[in-house]
Amino acid sequence: MRNDTAVFDAIRLDADHGEKNWVGQMGTREAIARDRLEIDPASLAYCPHEWINHEGYVDIELVRKYPLLVAL
């Protein structure tokens, strides 16, 4: 497997406090934009495309199984 897919942390703006909070997922640009979330540009990482689920987010179980394959 090659780290060939760019993924980012998905963040959401907390309107009450004006802070950006991580939503607990990493995904592709397209998935994050589709779900009306924001990308944390500093969180760019790469993972194998096989790890991306049908919604466009990283499958956390695969990350736990092979933690060293995520590249920054």
Side-chain angles (χ1 to χ4, degrees):
M1 277 190 269
R2 292 184 15 206
N3 291 336
D4 58 2
T5 304
V7 292
F8 301 86
D9 285 341
I11 55 177
R12 176 178 290 128
L13 179 64
D14 179 347
D16 294 333
H17 298 100
E19 298 175 352
K20 293 182 178 183
N21 298 315
W22 184 51
V23 300
Q25 292 185 304
M26 292 185 82
T28 62
R29 286 184 183 276
E30 297 79 14
I32 293 170
R34 179 198 65 229
D35 293 341
R36 297 185 177 185
L37 298 169
E38 294 184 39
I39 290 173
D40 177 0
S43 68
L44 172 62
Y46 293 88
C47 73
H49 65 271
E50 293 91 350
W51 288 13
I52 305 299
N53 65 23
H54 68 280
E55 294 177 337
Y57 290 96
V58 176
D59 182 331
I60 195 66
E61 293 305 317
L62 289 173
V63 173
R64 288 183 180 134
K65 188 172 181 181
Y66 306 102
L68 299 177
L69 287 181
V70 175
L72 303 176

